[in-house]
Amino acid sequence: MPALTAPESLAPQALQCFISYNRYGAYCVPLSSQHRPAAQMIRAGAVYEPGTIEFLQANCGQGDLVHAGTYFGDFLPALSRACSPQSRVWAFEPSLENYRCAHITILLNELRNIELANAGLGERREMLRLLTTDKDGVAQGGASRVVSVEDRVAGRTEPVQIVTIDDTIPYDRPVSIIQLDVEGHEQQALIGALRTIERCRPIIMVEILAGSTLLNNDWLAQHIIPFGYVFAGSIHGNAVFRCDAASAAPS
């Protein structure tokens, strides 16, 4: 598949992207991400992490769904249409480029139940940095990760607003699922969601990166398991925790 290129004279503020399609809808994909797995799958007309999407569709029920990081919105058309008419998808994407693309994905598909925020999730409201490239300047795409202002990292960073689930989701909104793909920032995001978790007992799905200790984390045992949660399986490297262990996720 040939690489896509942008005109050399393109203004720096112009969004460099391409439009692709699969069975769920249309997507605005950042040109800088064309080498990333999710972008390549969408460009080929396929679905990235189909099992994850199908699990979220099957379990969103009548409540809202929290979805972070949203990337360019590769899950949004499927999740939006699986929700009940009264439900909403609360989508969080810290990268400005990815956020702009996700916003266009929403417009392309005329999705009206998405609340999209250009923000990352954490344990408190604060400004941090987002590492968006490696040391050679290659875009990280969906693997961009939040770092502290004091962290010394090799690569390009941009400022990012961190918010919490508890302060963002209104108290009267039922939440069915919290799905986190936040590149190692899962514990911080869950700390900022403890009131929502206690109130709604949503399914929790978190990406488990290589070397992650989250599944054996003392914090998880102290703060999440006491609410009645058990590990219920994994899908595409995403660990699923739920209060009702009778319907476990496929492995």
Side-chain angles (χ1 to χ4, degrees):
M1 186 178 294
L4 301 173
T5 58
E8 293 183 2
S9 60
L10 198 63
Q13 69 270 23
L15 181 63
Q16 301 181 30
C17 59
F18 58 94
I19 306 299
S20 289
Y21 306 83
N22 66 15
R23 69 175 183 265
Y24 291 119
Y27 306 88
C28 176
V29 186
L31 192 62
S32 63
S33 283
Q34 62 179 301
H35 62 290
R36 301 295 304 176
Q40 291 182 341
M41 292 288 286
I42 297 293
R43 188 179 172 196
V47 178
Y48 184 68
E49 291 197 13
T52 303
I53 290 177
E54 290 164 7
F55 177 81
L56 295 172
Q57 288 177 311
N59 290 275
C60 56
Q62 300 299 307
D64 291 357
L65 194 154
V66 175
H67 169 55
T70 295
Y71 198 8
F72 56 85
D74 54 312
F75 280 24
L76 291 182
L79 298 185
S80 172
R81 293 174 183 135
C83 288
S84 71
Q86 298 78 27
S87 299
R88 307 199 71 74
V89 177
W90 301 85
F92 299 86
E93 174 48 52
S95 161
L96 179 58
E97 179 182 54
N98 294 340
Y99 164 81
R100 293 173 69 190
C101 286
H103 180 67
I104 295 172
T105 294
I106 290 170
L107 295 175
L108 288 171
N109 295 278
E110 296 187 354
L111 308 179
R112 305 186 187 282
N113 59 349
I114 308 290
E115 299 288 345
L116 176 65
N118 181 203
L121 292 178
E123 56 187 294
R124 68 180 68 87
R125 186 176 182 87
E126 59 183 331
M127 291 297 298
L128 295 177
R129 306 289 299 180
L130 186 72
L131 182 65
T132 59
T133 75
D134 65 14
K135 60 182 178 59
D136 298 316
V138 177
Q140 297 289 76
S144 299
R145 61 184 178 89
V146 173
V147 294
S148 297
V149 176
E150 299 82 9
D151 287 346
R152 305 182 73 176
V153 293
R156 187 179 305 123
T157 66
E158 63 184 55
V160 59
Q161 177 67 63
I162 300 297
V163 299
T164 73
I165 290 175
D166 286 341
D167 290 340
T168 303
I169 312 300
Y171 190 79
D172 61 350
R173 299 297 304 184
V175 177
S176 295
I177 302 176
I178 294 176
Q179 183 251 331
L180 304 175
D181 183 356
V182 292
E183 303 302 317
H185 214 63
E186 288 78 15
Q187 180 172 313
Q188 292 90 333
L190 290 173
I191 290 173
L194 286 176
R195 294 199 309 272
T196 302
I197 293 170
E198 182 176 16
R199 175 173 62 88
C200 300
R201 301 296 203 275
I203 292 171
I204 299 172
M205 174 181 276
V206 292
E207 182 189 36
I208 301 299
L209 299 174
S212 172
T213 60
L214 184 62
L215 288 178
N216 301 312
N217 196 307
D218 288 342
W219 180 88
L220 200 69
Q222 294 175 15
H223 298 280
I224 300 297
I225 302 305
F227 290 137
Y229 281 89
V230 295
F231 173 60
S234 63
I235 310 168
H236 292 302
N238 300 292
V240 176
F241 298 86
R242 62 192 310 167
C243 287
D244 177 14
S247 301
S251 59

